Amino acid sequence: VEVLLVNAKVQKPEESPAKIANIQQIIMVINALSKGFSERLVTASRPAIGLMFKQTLDVLLQILIVFPKIEPLRCKVTSFIHRMVDTLGASVFPYLPKALGQLLAESEPKELVGFLVLINQLICKFNTAVHDILEELYPVLASRIFNILPRDAFPSGPGSNTEEIRELQELQRTLYTFLHVITTHDLSSVFLSPKSRGYLDPMMQLLLFTSCNHKDILIRKVPGFQSFVIEAFATNCCLYSVLDKSFELRDANTCEFYSESQVESRARALASLCFIGDVEMVALDAPMSVVDARVSASYFLKLILFGEIVLAQKVMYEKFGNDFLIHFVSKGFPTAHCPQDMAEQYCQKLQGNDVKALKSFYQALIESLRQQQNGSLGTYSVNSIRLAIPRTMRCKFPEAAFLLSGGILVLSIKIRVSARAVTNVNMLVVSCSIISTV
Protein backbone atom coordinates (compact mmCIF):
# COMPACT_ATOMS: atom_id res chain seq x y z
CA VAL A 1 0.00 0.00 0.00
CA GLU A 2 2.83 2.40 0.83
CA VAL A 3 4.41 1.78 -2.60
CA LEU A 4 1.09 2.30 -4.38
CA LEU A 5 0.48 5.57 -2.52
CA VAL A 6 3.96 6.89 -3.37
CA ASN A 7 3.47 5.98 -7.03
CA ALA A 8 -0.01 7.52 -7.04
CA LYS A 9 1.48 10.94 -6.38
CA VAL A 10 3.49 10.86 -9.63
CA GLN A 11 1.38 8.63 -11.87
CA LYS A 12 -0.74 9.67 -14.80
CA PRO A 13 -4.51 10.16 -14.22
CA GLU A 14 -5.45 7.25 -16.47
CA GLU A 15 -3.44 4.89 -14.25
CA SER A 16 -5.37 5.77 -11.09
CA PRO A 17 -8.38 3.39 -11.48
CA ALA A 18 -6.18 0.31 -11.56
CA LYS A 19 -4.19 1.48 -8.52
CA ILE A 20 -7.38 2.30 -6.60
CA ALA A 21 -8.86 -1.12 -7.35
CA ASN A 22 -5.63 -2.76 -6.19
CA ILE A 23 -5.65 -0.82 -2.90
CA GLN A 24 -9.29 -1.75 -2.33
CA GLN A 25 -8.50 -5.45 -2.71
CA ILE A 26 -5.57 -5.20 -0.31
CA ILE A 27 -7.74 -3.52 2.36
CA MET A 28 -10.43 -6.18 1.95
CA VAL A 29 -7.82 -8.93 2.46
CA ILE A 30 -6.42 -7.26 5.60
CA ASN A 31 -9.95 -6.78 6.91
CA ALA A 32 -10.73 -10.47 6.43
CA LEU A 33 -7.44 -11.46 8.04
CA SER A 34 -8.10 -9.30 11.13
CA LYS A 35 -11.31 -11.20 11.89
CA GLY A 36 -9.22 -14.16 12.98
CA PHE A 37 -7.67 -12.26 15.89
CA SER A 38 -9.36 -11.35 19.17
CA GLU A 39 -8.65 -8.25 21.23
CA ARG A 40 -7.11 -10.33 24.02
CA LEU A 41 -4.78 -12.11 21.59
CA VAL A 42 -3.37 -9.01 19.90
CA THR A 43 -3.07 -6.91 23.07
CA ALA A 44 -2.09 -9.43 25.75
CA SER A 45 -0.99 -12.79 24.35
CA ARG A 46 0.64 -11.66 21.07
CA PRO A 47 1.21 -7.88 21.26
CA ALA A 48 3.54 -8.03 18.24
CA ILE A 49 0.50 -8.83 16.08
CA GLY A 50 -1.32 -5.88 17.57
CA LEU A 51 1.65 -3.66 16.70
CA MET A 52 1.47 -4.80 13.07
CA PHE A 53 -2.21 -3.90 12.92
CA LYS A 54 -1.44 -0.46 14.37
CA GLN A 55 1.27 0.10 11.76
CA THR A 56 -1.17 -1.02 9.07
CA LEU A 57 -3.79 1.43 10.34
CA ASP A 58 -1.25 4.24 10.22
CA VAL A 59 -0.46 3.40 6.58
CA LEU A 60 -4.07 3.05 5.50
CA LEU A 61 -4.96 6.43 6.97
CA GLN A 62 -2.62 7.98 4.40
CA ILE A 63 -5.10 6.86 1.73
CA LEU A 64 -7.49 9.55 2.94
CA ILE A 65 -4.82 12.16 2.21
CA VAL A 66 -3.73 10.88 -1.21
CA PHE A 67 -7.29 10.03 -2.36
CA PRO A 68 -9.53 12.25 -0.19
CA LYS A 69 -12.60 12.12 -2.44
CA ILE A 70 -12.58 8.54 -3.74
CA GLU A 71 -15.70 7.16 -2.05
CA PRO A 72 -14.94 3.42 -2.42
CA LEU A 73 -11.56 3.90 -0.74
CA ARG A 74 -13.04 6.02 2.05
CA CYS A 75 -15.59 3.26 2.70
CA LYS A 76 -12.90 0.58 2.82
CA VAL A 77 -10.72 2.60 5.21
CA THR A 78 -13.74 3.31 7.42
CA SER A 79 -14.53 -0.40 7.45
CA PHE A 80 -10.96 -1.15 8.53
CA ILE A 81 -11.21 1.38 11.38
CA HIS A 82 -14.38 -0.43 12.53
CA ARG A 83 -12.41 -3.68 12.58
CA MET A 84 -9.51 -2.12 14.50
CA VAL A 85 -11.88 -0.76 17.15
CA ASP A 86 -13.00 -4.35 17.79
CA THR A 87 -9.56 -5.91 17.38
CA LEU A 88 -7.30 -3.44 19.18
CA GLY A 89 -9.73 -2.20 21.80
CA ALA A 90 -8.61 0.83 23.83
CA SER A 91 -5.13 0.69 22.28
CA VAL A 92 -6.65 2.22 19.13
CA PHE A 93 -7.24 5.52 20.98
CA PRO A 94 -3.97 7.25 19.94
CA TYR A 95 -4.95 6.81 16.29
CA LEU A 96 -8.54 8.05 16.61
CA PRO A 97 -7.98 11.85 16.48
CA LYS A 98 -6.05 11.56 13.22
CA ALA A 99 -8.44 9.00 11.73
CA LEU A 100 -11.61 10.86 12.66
CA GLY A 101 -10.21 14.20 11.58
CA GLN A 102 -9.30 12.88 8.12
CA LEU A 103 -12.64 11.13 7.67
CA LEU A 104 -14.54 14.28 8.60
CA ALA A 105 -12.44 16.65 6.46
CA GLU A 106 -13.89 15.88 3.02
CA SER A 107 -17.17 14.22 3.99
CA GLU A 108 -20.42 14.64 2.09
CA PRO A 109 -23.85 13.66 3.53
CA LYS A 110 -23.43 10.02 2.54
CA GLU A 111 -19.97 9.83 4.15
CA LEU A 112 -21.27 11.61 7.27
CA VAL A 113 -23.73 8.76 7.77
CA GLY A 114 -20.88 6.25 7.87
CA PHE A 115 -18.91 8.58 10.11
CA LEU A 116 -21.76 8.77 12.66
CA VAL A 117 -22.09 4.99 12.63
CA LEU A 118 -18.38 4.74 13.49
CA ILE A 119 -18.76 7.23 16.37
CA ASN A 120 -21.75 5.26 17.66
CA GLN A 121 -19.58 2.13 17.71
CA LEU A 122 -16.90 3.94 19.70
CA ILE A 123 -19.43 5.24 22.24
CA CYS A 124 -21.15 1.88 22.68
CA LYS A 125 -17.81 0.09 23.15
CA PHE A 126 -15.90 2.58 25.31
CA ASN A 127 -18.72 4.60 26.96
CA THR A 128 -17.43 7.65 28.87
CA ALA A 129 -13.81 6.89 27.94
CA VAL A 130 -14.44 8.69 24.62
CA HIS A 131 -15.69 11.85 26.37
CA ASP A 132 -12.64 13.98 25.55
CA ILE A 133 -12.56 12.84 21.92
CA LEU A 134 -16.29 13.47 21.54
CA GLU A 135 -16.05 16.87 23.22
CA GLU A 136 -13.52 18.01 20.60
CA LEU A 137 -15.33 16.34 17.71
CA TYR A 138 -18.97 17.22 18.40
CA PRO A 139 -18.89 20.99 17.66
CA VAL A 140 -17.19 20.41 14.28
CA LEU A 141 -19.62 17.62 13.45
CA ALA A 142 -22.67 19.58 14.63
CA SER A 143 -21.65 22.62 12.61
CA ARG A 144 -21.27 20.53 9.45
CA ILE A 145 -24.56 18.65 9.90
CA PHE A 146 -26.72 21.62 10.90
CA ASN A 147 -25.45 23.54 7.89
CA ILE A 148 -26.45 20.65 5.62
CA LEU A 149 -29.83 19.56 7.03
CA PRO A 150 -32.90 21.71 6.35
CA ARG A 151 -34.45 23.37 9.42
CA ASP A 152 -37.98 22.57 8.24
CA ALA A 153 -39.57 19.53 6.64
CA PHE A 154 -38.06 17.94 3.55
CA PRO A 155 -39.81 18.84 0.30
CA SER A 156 -42.58 16.50 -0.80
CA GLY A 157 -44.47 15.94 -4.00
CA PRO A 158 -43.36 15.28 -7.57
CA GLY A 159 -39.63 15.52 -8.14
CA SER A 160 -38.74 15.49 -4.45
CA ASN A 161 -37.62 11.85 -4.23
CA THR A 162 -34.10 12.55 -5.47
CA GLU A 163 -30.88 10.84 -4.44
CA GLU A 164 -29.76 14.03 -2.68
CA ILE A 165 -32.95 14.20 -0.58
CA ARG A 166 -32.70 10.51 0.31
CA GLU A 167 -29.12 10.99 1.50
CA LEU A 168 -30.15 13.95 3.67
CA GLN A 169 -33.04 11.95 5.15
CA GLU A 170 -30.68 9.08 5.98
CA LEU A 171 -28.27 11.56 7.57
CA GLN A 172 -31.08 12.98 9.70
CA ARG A 173 -32.16 9.52 10.90
CA THR A 174 -28.58 8.58 11.74
CA LEU A 175 -28.12 11.88 13.59
CA TYR A 176 -31.07 11.07 15.86
CA THR A 177 -29.56 7.67 16.63
CA PHE A 178 -26.24 9.38 17.37
CA LEU A 179 -27.86 11.84 19.81
CA HIS A 180 -29.74 9.00 21.47
CA VAL A 181 -26.53 7.00 21.90
CA ILE A 182 -24.81 10.01 23.50
CA THR A 183 -27.58 10.59 26.04
CA THR A 184 -27.90 6.92 26.99
CA HIS A 185 -24.15 6.53 27.65
CA ASP A 186 -23.74 9.35 30.20
CA LEU A 187 -22.14 11.72 27.69
CA SER A 188 -24.79 14.45 27.69
CA SER A 189 -22.37 16.91 29.28
CA VAL A 190 -20.75 17.17 25.83
CA PHE A 191 -23.75 19.22 24.72
CA LEU A 192 -23.02 21.79 27.44
CA SER A 193 -19.28 22.15 26.91
CA PRO A 194 -18.14 25.69 25.99
CA LYS A 195 -17.44 24.75 22.36
CA SER A 196 -20.73 22.86 21.90
CA ARG A 197 -23.18 25.01 23.84
CA GLY A 198 -23.98 27.13 20.79
CA TYR A 199 -25.41 24.06 19.04
CA LEU A 200 -27.76 23.09 21.87
CA ASP A 201 -30.60 25.31 20.70
CA PRO A 202 -30.55 24.24 17.01
CA MET A 203 -30.33 20.61 18.15
CA MET A 204 -33.38 20.96 20.42
CA GLN A 205 -35.29 22.91 17.77
CA LEU A 206 -34.63 20.14 15.26
CA LEU A 207 -35.67 17.42 17.72
CA LEU A 208 -38.81 19.33 18.69
CA PHE A 209 -39.82 19.96 15.08
CA THR A 210 -39.20 16.34 14.10
CA SER A 211 -41.03 14.88 17.10
CA CYS A 212 -44.10 16.94 16.21
CA ASN A 213 -44.08 16.98 12.41
CA HIS A 214 -42.06 14.14 10.89
CA LYS A 215 -44.20 11.97 8.63
CA ASP A 216 -42.52 8.76 9.85
CA ILE A 217 -44.02 7.76 13.22
CA LEU A 218 -40.98 5.56 13.97
CA ILE A 219 -38.72 8.62 13.79
CA ARG A 220 -41.05 10.73 15.92
CA LYS A 221 -40.76 8.20 18.74
CA VAL A 222 -37.70 8.16 20.99
CA PRO A 223 -36.71 4.53 21.72
CA GLY A 224 -36.38 3.82 25.42
CA PHE A 225 -37.53 7.29 26.48
CA GLN A 226 -40.29 6.10 28.83
CA SER A 227 -38.07 3.61 30.64
CA PHE A 228 -35.29 6.21 30.88
CA VAL A 229 -37.62 8.79 32.41
CA ILE A 230 -39.14 6.31 34.86
CA GLU A 231 -35.94 4.52 35.88
CA ALA A 232 -33.38 7.33 35.77
CA PHE A 233 -34.94 10.78 35.72
CA ALA A 234 -37.76 10.19 38.19
CA THR A 235 -35.69 8.75 41.03
CA ASN A 236 -32.45 10.68 40.45
CA CYS A 237 -33.87 14.13 39.78
CA CYS A 238 -37.20 14.04 41.62
CA LEU A 239 -36.17 12.15 44.75
CA TYR A 240 -32.43 11.78 45.35
CA SER A 241 -31.59 15.35 44.32
CA VAL A 242 -33.97 16.94 46.88
CA LEU A 243 -32.88 14.51 49.60
CA ASP A 244 -29.34 15.80 49.39
CA LYS A 245 -28.36 18.47 51.90
CA SER A 246 -27.17 20.80 49.14
CA PHE A 247 -30.81 21.36 48.23
CA GLU A 248 -31.85 23.55 51.18
CA LEU A 249 -35.57 23.15 51.66
CA ARG A 250 -35.75 25.97 54.14
CA ASP A 251 -35.15 28.36 51.24
CA ALA A 252 -38.33 27.10 49.62
CA ASN A 253 -40.12 27.18 52.98
CA THR A 254 -39.31 30.83 53.50
CA CYS A 255 -40.98 31.70 50.24
CA GLU A 256 -44.18 30.11 51.41
CA PHE A 257 -44.53 32.78 54.08
CA TYR A 258 -44.51 35.64 51.57
CA SER A 259 -47.79 37.03 50.37
CA GLU A 260 -48.59 36.64 46.68
CA SER A 261 -47.79 40.29 46.02
CA GLN A 262 -44.44 39.98 47.83
CA VAL A 263 -43.46 36.95 45.79
CA GLU A 264 -44.43 38.72 42.58
CA SER A 265 -42.49 41.83 43.56
CA ARG A 266 -39.40 39.85 44.44
CA ALA A 267 -39.76 37.79 41.27
CA ARG A 268 -39.77 40.92 39.15
CA ALA A 269 -36.70 42.14 40.99
CA LEU A 270 -35.01 38.80 40.46
CA ALA A 271 -35.67 38.90 36.73
CA SER A 272 -33.55 42.06 36.39
CA LEU A 273 -30.60 40.92 38.49
CA CYS A 274 -27.27 39.39 37.53
CA PHE A 275 -25.96 36.67 39.81
CA ILE A 276 -22.47 36.35 38.43
CA GLY A 277 -20.22 39.30 39.23
CA ASP A 278 -21.77 42.62 40.26
CA VAL A 279 -25.43 42.80 41.21
CA GLU A 280 -27.35 45.53 39.42
CA MET A 281 -29.93 47.19 41.65
CA VAL A 282 -33.36 48.02 40.24
CA ALA A 283 -36.27 50.13 41.41
CA LEU A 284 -38.36 48.26 43.98
CA ASP A 285 -41.49 48.93 46.01
CA ALA A 286 -39.34 48.94 49.13
CA PRO A 287 -35.57 49.31 49.73
CA MET A 288 -33.67 46.05 49.28
CA SER A 289 -30.00 45.50 50.03
CA VAL A 290 -27.68 43.59 47.71
CA VAL A 291 -27.51 40.72 50.18
CA ASP A 292 -31.30 40.66 50.54
CA ALA A 293 -31.65 40.63 46.77
CA ARG A 294 -29.33 37.67 46.46
CA VAL A 295 -31.07 35.76 49.25
CA SER A 296 -34.49 36.47 47.76
CA ALA A 297 -33.22 35.22 44.42
CA SER A 298 -32.06 32.00 46.04
CA TYR A 299 -35.44 31.57 47.72
CA PHE A 300 -37.32 32.14 44.53
CA LEU A 301 -35.17 29.96 42.29
CA LYS A 302 -35.33 27.01 44.64
CA LEU A 303 -39.06 27.50 45.03
CA ILE A 304 -39.39 27.29 41.25
CA LEU A 305 -37.15 24.24 41.08
CA PHE A 306 -38.94 22.34 43.87
CA GLY A 307 -42.33 23.21 42.37
CA GLU A 308 -41.22 21.97 38.95
CA ILE A 309 -39.91 18.75 40.50
CA VAL A 310 -43.31 18.11 42.03
CA LEU A 311 -45.10 19.07 38.83
CA ALA A 312 -42.82 16.72 36.85
CA GLN A 313 -44.03 13.81 39.00
CA LYS A 314 -47.63 14.75 38.28
CA VAL A 315 -46.93 14.89 34.55
CA MET A 316 -45.13 11.54 34.60
CA TYR A 317 -48.07 9.93 36.39
CA GLU A 318 -50.52 11.39 33.86
CA LYS A 319 -48.38 10.19 30.93
CA PHE A 320 -47.11 6.84 32.20
CA GLY A 321 -49.70 5.91 34.84
CA ASN A 322 -48.92 3.09 37.25
CA ASP A 323 -45.71 2.20 35.41
CA PHE A 324 -44.20 5.37 36.84
CA LEU A 325 -45.91 5.21 40.22
CA ILE A 326 -45.03 1.57 40.97
CA HIS A 327 -41.37 2.02 40.06
CA PHE A 328 -41.03 5.30 41.94
CA VAL A 329 -42.62 3.93 45.12
CA SER A 330 -41.18 0.40 45.01
CA LYS A 331 -37.63 1.28 43.90
CA GLY A 332 -36.98 4.86 44.97
CA PHE A 333 -38.77 5.09 48.31
CA PRO A 334 -37.24 1.93 49.88
CA THR A 335 -33.74 3.24 49.06
CA ALA A 336 -34.65 6.43 50.93
CA HIS A 337 -36.12 4.34 53.82
CA CYS A 338 -39.59 5.79 53.34
CA PRO A 339 -42.25 4.35 55.73
CA GLN A 340 -45.06 2.41 54.10
CA ASP A 341 -47.80 4.70 55.42
CA MET A 342 -46.12 7.80 53.95
CA ALA A 343 -45.64 6.01 50.62
CA GLU A 344 -49.37 5.26 50.57
CA GLN A 345 -50.19 8.89 51.36
CA TYR A 346 -47.91 9.99 48.53
CA CYS A 347 -49.82 7.75 46.11
CA GLN A 348 -53.12 9.26 47.23
CA LYS A 349 -51.84 12.83 46.85
CA LEU A 350 -50.32 12.12 43.44
CA GLN A 351 -53.54 10.54 42.17
CA GLY A 352 -55.60 13.48 43.43
CA ASN A 353 -56.23 16.78 41.70
CA ASP A 354 -54.71 19.17 44.24
CA VAL A 355 -51.16 19.99 43.08
CA LYS A 356 -50.64 22.43 45.95
CA ALA A 357 -51.50 19.73 48.48
CA LEU A 358 -49.15 17.33 46.70
CA LYS A 359 -46.33 19.88 46.89
CA SER A 360 -46.90 20.51 50.60
CA PHE A 361 -46.99 16.80 51.38
CA TYR A 362 -43.93 16.03 49.28
CA GLN A 363 -42.00 18.78 51.00
CA ALA A 364 -42.96 17.39 54.40
CA LEU A 365 -42.06 13.88 53.22
CA ILE A 366 -38.61 14.94 52.04
CA GLU A 367 -37.95 16.81 55.30
CA SER A 368 -38.96 13.71 57.29
CA LEU A 369 -36.73 11.40 55.22
CA ARG A 370 -33.79 13.77 55.58
CA GLN A 371 -34.13 13.76 59.34
CA GLN A 372 -34.07 9.96 59.34
CA GLN A 373 -30.94 9.55 57.24
CA ASN A 374 -29.24 12.94 57.50
CA GLY A 375 -29.29 13.39 53.72
CA SER A 376 -27.27 10.26 52.98
CA LEU A 377 -28.23 7.94 50.14
CA GLY A 378 -25.03 5.94 49.76
CA THR A 379 -24.10 5.61 46.11
CA TYR A 380 -27.02 7.80 45.10
CA SER A 381 -25.78 10.85 47.00
CA VAL A 382 -26.01 14.10 45.05
CA ASN A 383 -22.91 16.23 45.34
CA SER A 384 -24.22 19.63 44.35
CA ILE A 385 -26.86 21.67 42.64
CA ARG A 386 -25.29 24.58 40.81
CA LEU A 387 -27.27 27.56 39.48
CA ALA A 388 -25.80 29.78 36.77
CA ILE A 389 -27.40 32.77 35.08
CA PRO A 390 -25.85 34.90 32.29
CA ARG A 391 -23.90 37.95 33.47
CA THR A 392 -25.75 40.34 31.19
CA MET A 393 -29.48 39.79 31.38
CA ARG A 394 -32.48 42.07 31.80
CA CYS A 395 -35.79 40.41 31.18
CA LYS A 396 -39.40 40.13 32.18
CA PHE A 397 -40.64 37.35 34.40
CA PRO A 398 -39.15 34.07 33.07
CA GLU A 399 -41.34 31.13 32.14
CA ALA A 400 -39.55 27.96 33.18
CA ALA A 401 -39.65 24.58 31.49
CA PHE A 402 -37.65 21.44 32.09
CA LEU A 403 -35.50 19.88 29.44
CA LEU A 404 -33.90 16.51 30.07
CA SER A 405 -30.51 15.74 28.58
CA GLY A 406 -29.18 12.43 29.88
CA GLY A 407 -28.06 12.84 33.47
CA ILE A 408 -27.97 16.63 33.18
CA LEU A 409 -31.05 18.53 34.24
CA VAL A 410 -31.50 21.74 32.28
CA LEU A 411 -33.97 24.44 33.30
CA SER A 412 -34.57 26.41 30.14
CA ILE A 413 -36.08 29.87 30.31
CA LYS A 414 -38.15 31.55 27.64
CA ILE A 415 -37.29 35.23 27.96
CA ARG A 416 -38.96 38.27 26.45
CA VAL A 417 -35.86 40.44 26.10
CA SER A 418 -35.99 44.23 26.22
CA ALA A 419 -34.67 46.29 23.32
CA ARG A 420 -31.42 47.11 25.09
CA ALA A 421 -30.67 43.55 26.17
CA VAL A 422 -28.70 40.84 24.47
CA THR A 423 -30.72 38.77 22.05
CA ASN A 424 -28.98 35.47 22.73
CA VAL A 425 -29.35 34.45 26.34
CA ASN A 426 -27.76 31.28 27.64
CA MET A 427 -29.93 28.76 29.39
CA LEU A 428 -30.22 28.53 33.13
CA VAL A 429 -28.43 25.29 33.92
CA VAL A 430 -29.11 23.27 37.01
CA SER A 431 -26.39 20.65 37.14
CA CYS A 432 -27.47 17.84 39.43
CA SER A 433 -24.22 16.02 40.20
CA ILE A 434 -25.76 12.57 40.56
CA ILE A 435 -23.27 9.71 40.93
CA SER A 436 -20.75 10.25 38.10
CA THR A 437 -22.60 13.06 36.28
CA VAL A 438 -20.70 16.36 36.12
Side-chain angles (χ1 to χ4, degrees):
V1 173
E2 283 182 310
V3 172
L4 289 172
L5 291 176
V6 171
N7 293 337
K9 296 177 181 179
V10 297
Q11 68 187 8
K12 298 178 182 179
E14 59 268 18
E15 297 175 347
S16 293
K19 303 289 185 183
I20 291 172
N22 198 357
I23 293 174
Q24 282 184 256
Q25 291 177 344
I26 292 173
I27 298 176
M28 291 172 62
V29 171
I30 299 173
N31 251 340
L33 177 67
S34 69
K35 294 179 181 179
F37 298 90
S38 67
E39 179 180 342
R40 181 179 179 182
L41 177 65
V42 302
T43 57
S45 304
R46 303 285 296 277
I49 298 177
L51 179 61
M52 285 191 291
F53 279 126
K54 293 174 188 177
Q55 293 170 338
T56 304
L57 176 60
D58 204 30
V59 171
L60 296 188
L61 289 177
Q62 298 175 32
I63 296 173
L64 300 175
I65 300 175
V66 179
F67 299 105
K69 295 187 177 182
I70 306 298
E71 182 186 346
L73 283 180
R74 289 177 64 90
C75 290
K76 292 295 185 294
V77 173
T78 302
S79 175
F80 183 70
I81 296 173
H82 277 288
R83 285 294 317 140
M84 291 301 98
V85 169
D86 284 335
T87 304
L88 297 175
S91 61
V92 79
F93 268 47
Y95 299 87
L96 289 179
K98 177 182 177 181
L100 298 176
Q102 291 176 355
L103 282 175
L104 190 58
E106 300 286 343
S107 53
E108 298 296 329
K110 188 174 182 179
E111 285 87 25
L112 281 173
V113 171
F115 185 83
L116 288 175
V117 172
L118 174 60
I119 302 301
N120 287 344
Q121 181 197 17
L122 291 172
I123 295 174
C124 292
K125 183 173 180 64
F126 301 115
N127 296 301
T128 54
V130 299
H131 177 275
D132 292 346
I133 294 175
L134 189 61
E135 190 172 72
E136 290 296 320
L137 183 68
Y138 179 76
V140 180
L141 185 58
S143 175
R144 183 78 56 84
I145 291 177
F146 290 138
N147 284 332
I148 293 176
L149 291 179
R151 297 300 173 93
D152 300 322
F154 288 100
S156 58
S160 61
N161 189 26
T162 63
E163 182 66 23
E164 180 183 0
I165 295 298
R166 288 195 295 271
E167 288 181 358
L168 290 176
Q169 289 173 333
E170 181 62 23
L171 175 60
Q172 187 187 68
R173 284 191 291 268
T174 310
L175 172 64
Y176 296 146
T177 303
F178 170 62
L179 297 176
H180 180 255
V181 169
I182 289 177
T183 56
T184 53
H185 286 79
D186 295 327
L187 289 165
S188 300
S189 57
V190 168
F191 298 137
L192 299 177
S193 68
K195 293 181 180 180
S196 301
R197 199 168 295 166
Y199 300 102
L200 181 60
D201 184 65
M203 178 188 78
M204 295 310 303
Q205 293 294 337
L206 180 63
L207 290 174
L208 179 61
F209 180 85
T210 304
S211 64
C212 296
N213 301 293
H214 203 283
K215 61 182 181 180
D216 189 342
I217 184 64
L218 296 178
I219 294 180
R220 291 207 303 268
K221 292 182 177 180
V222 181
F225 177 74
Q226 178 171 328
S227 60
F228 173 76
V229 169
I230 291 175
E231 296 170 11
F233 171 71
T235 50
N236 288 334
C237 296
C238 296
L239 180 60
Y240 301 146
S241 65
V242 292
L243 281 173
D244 189 82
K245 289 185 291 185
S246 63
F247 195 108
E248 298 182 8
L249 282 173
R250 65 175 180 271
D251 289 354
N253 292 342
T254 307
C255 280
E256 297 288 359
F257 297 122
Y258 293 159
S259 67
E260 186 174 341
S261 60
Q262 286 176 311
V263 172
E264 181 179 358
S265 175
R266 288 171 182 260
R268 293 182 184 280
L270 165 66
S272 297
L273 291 175
C274 296
F275 292 83
I276 302 177
D278 298 331
V279 174
E280 180 183 355
M281 297 308 297
V282 295
L284 300 172
D285 298 336
M288 179 183 288
S289 67
V290 173
V291 174
D292 188 30
R294 284 174 172 162
V295 172
S296 297
S298 174
Y299 291 162
F300 184 70
L301 283 173
K302 289 191 177 179
L303 176 62
I304 289 179
L305 180 56
F306 188 80
E308 290 295 327
I309 286 172
V310 173
L311 185 59
Q313 296 170 58
K314 189 70 176 174
V315 171
M316 285 186 285
Y317 177 69
E318 291 174 352
K319 296 294 183 181
F320 306 137
N322 288 331
D323 289 344
F324 156 71
L325 184 57
I326 292 173
H327 187 276
F328 194 67
V329 172
S330 64
K331 301 296 184 181
F333 279 9
T335 306
H337 310 293
C338 178
Q340 182 64 30
D341 61 328
M342 297 193 78
E344 292 175 358
Q345 291 182 55
Y346 169 80
C347 294
Q348 294 173 2
K349 297 293 184 183
L350 184 67
Q351 292 168 330
N353 297 320
D354 192 340
V355 177
K356 187 175 182 180
L358 172 62
K359 178 184 174 183
S360 298
F361 173 80
Y362 196 64
Q363 185 172 309
L365 172 63
I366 295 300
E367 289 173 341
S368 174
L369 295 178
R370 287 171 126 190
Q371 290 175 0
Q372 293 179 29
Q373 57 201 18
N374 195 26
S376 175
L377 282 173
T379 58
Y380 293 99
S381 178
V382 180
N383 296 326
S384 65
I385 294 181
R386 184 178 62 232
L387 303 179
I389 297 180
R391 181 182 181 88
T392 307
M393 185 179 78
R394 292 180 62 85
C395 63
K396 299 293 184 181
F397 185 83
E399 300 170 355
F402 276 115
L403 163 68
L404 185 65
S405 184
I408 300 293
L409 188 64
V410 179
L411 185 63
S412 66
I413 47 178
K414 302 175 183 177
I415 300 177
R416 296 183 288 276
V417 184
S418 65
R420 294 179 297 168
V422 292
T423 55
N424 296 319
V425 182
N426 289 332
M427 305 177 86
L428 168 62
V429 179
V430 183
S431 297
C432 296
S433 302
I434 301 170
I435 314 176
S436 62
T437 303
V438 178

